[in-house]
Amino acid sequence: MSARGRSPDRPAGRLAVRDAEGRGGLPAVVLEHPAGGRVEVSLHGGHVVSWTPSAGDDVLFLSREAVFAPDSAIRGGIPVIFPQFGEGPLPKHGFARTARWSLAERRTDDGVAIARLELGDTPETRRIWPHAFRLALTVALGDRLRVRLSVTNPGTAPFDFTAALHSYLRVADIGGARIEGLQGTSYLDKTAGFERCHETHHALGITEWVDRVYLDTPNRLVVRDEAGGRLIDLEQTAFPDTVVWNPWTKMAADLPDMAEDEYRAMLCVEAAAVGEPVSLAPGARWDGDQTIGIRPIA
Ligand code: TA6
């Protein structure tokens, strides 16, 4: 549905967290809010695949070509990237996004529906990444959606990791989308051999293939979805960096799990710890959050 053809306000429901059969028949957990909001989290990848707020379209983009299968990453939603962002010795973007997570806790608390998923090391992960680790993904649905990635080192030696919440935001049309808050920061431009550049735009529009790691970014950004008539407020803590990605025409054509025109309906603005790996001492825990809210454009 287009953002202009708004869905009617969803009926008020109850505050709940329940098991569900997710897309592709994969197990999922669904969070519901009395105001009508609904979030679906797949246990495959610990992946938030959808957040429909009380009114309007899904805030997250999910490709109509997305593949829901045990060995595949899902194109859209919020992939969890750990322990390696991008290319490197491990599979691209690490193994957390294709692993089977378990539901560790579900609760409701003061008007918020909360699910906590967990993932730990296995013989398979230790074969390619020789560390004991424990991840928790806490998804909290209130007026906004908060996603927290927690990394614990239960082992006896420190380890380093890079990570991201690779959020795919849905926009009504990329031509009217602007990111506000990055002016004055530096970024590594993956489309130009990771050249270091300086952001001069107050409101950054996307008019071509963009793939950038913005370093040391402010913890609040706004995506203005002009055609959709809404602002998407992003807040991140402990993730120092922000990745901005849109594949545009050529790159989208190379992605088998994304339709050719869909680059117009998405914009990745990712809470990331990429510029410098995080070093985690034995027994230590690191928590990184991304919170997403929406407001109508006044
Ligand atoms: O976060 C941006 C990025 O690293 C891009 O370089 C692009 O490849 C994208 O992620 C998607 O990666 P994927 O492996 O999911 O196709």
Side-chain angles (χ1 to χ4, degrees):
M1 178 190 310
S2 81
R4 289 205 181 280
R6 286 292 170 90
S7 56
D9 286 12
R10 272 166 273 282
R14 59 197 185 95
L15 188 67
V17 184
R18 57 180 178 78
D19 295 319
E21 183 175 303
R23 292 154 218 239
L26 296 168
V29 58
V30 167
L31 291 76
E32 290 168 336
H33 192 267
R38 182 181 183 279
V39 168
E40 181 179 327
V41 190
S42 179
L43 299 193
H44 174 63
H47 196 125
V48 178
V49 292
S50 160
W51 170 35
T52 43
S54 51
D57 290 342
D58 207 312
V59 179
L60 302 175
F61 166 84
L62 182 65
S63 170
R64 56 183 186 269
E65 307 288 343
V67 176
F68 291 86
D71 293 328
S72 301
I74 299 167
R75 180 71 62 203
I78 310 182
V80 176
I81 308 302
F82 175 89
Q84 169 195 290
F85 181 87
E87 288 84 2
L90 297 177
K92 185 177 172 199
H93 284 331
F95 46 71
R97 65 175 178 164
T98 51
R100 172 61 67 89
W101 294 55
S102 58
L103 178 62
E105 186 189 5
R106 70 179 90 193
R107 66 193 162 92
T108 56
D109 184 13
D110 201 18
V112 180
I114 300 167
R116 185 165 53 84
L117 280 63
E118 288 184 349
L119 178 73
D121 54 292
T122 62
E124 288 73 45
T125 66
R126 286 194 295 274
R127 229 186 328 273
I128 55 172
W129 198 64
H131 304 286
F133 70 89
R134 215 156 285 140
L135 299 187
L137 189 83
T138 309
V139 180
L141 174 66
D143 296 339
R144 303 189 295 165
L145 175 68
R146 196 194 76 203
V147 181
R148 166 172 293 178
L149 177 66
S150 304
V151 184
T152 304
N153 180 354
T156 53
F159 62 70
D160 290 354
F161 67 88
T162 51
L165 296 171
H166 194 304
S167 305
Y168 285 75
L169 304 176
R170 172 173 293 282
V171 293
D173 184 67
I174 191 67
R178 302 280 180 276
I179 307 173
E180 297 173 358
L182 292 170
Q183 189 177 30
T185 62
S186 297
Y187 63 90
L188 305 175
D189 188 347
K190 191 172 171 187
T191 71
F194 293 100
E195 185 187 348
R196 194 176 177 118
C197 306
H198 185 73
E199 185 57 68
T200 56
H201 295 92
H202 162 67
L204 174 67
I206 309 291
T207 56
E208 59 185 343
W209 172 36
V210 170
D211 195 348
R212 302 176 179 176
V213 178
Y214 283 87
L215 302 166
D216 231 344
T217 47
N219 68 344
R220 285 172 195 239
L221 300 172
V222 176
V223 174
R224 214 181 155 82
D225 176 12
E226 201 65 51
R230 66 186 179 185
L231 303 172
I232 306 174
D233 292 306
L234 299 169
E235 195 175 333
Q236 63 195 58
T237 53
F239 284 110
D241 310 315
T242 303
V243 176
V244 176
W245 179 59
N246 182 291
W248 213 251
T249 39
K250 172 166 175 351
M251 296 298 291
D254 291 346
L255 297 171
D257 55 351
M258 191 162 157
E260 282 193 26
D261 58 341
E262 285 186 311
Y263 74 94
R264 298 212 67 89
M266 54 76 68
L267 178 58
C268 283
V269 183
E270 310 163 28
V274 171
E276 288 289 334
V278 178
S279 190
L280 205 59
R285 191 178 91 194
W286 174 94
D287 296 314
D289 287 48
Q290 188 184 47
T291 302
I292 310 177
I294 53 163
R295 288 177 282 154
I297 292 178

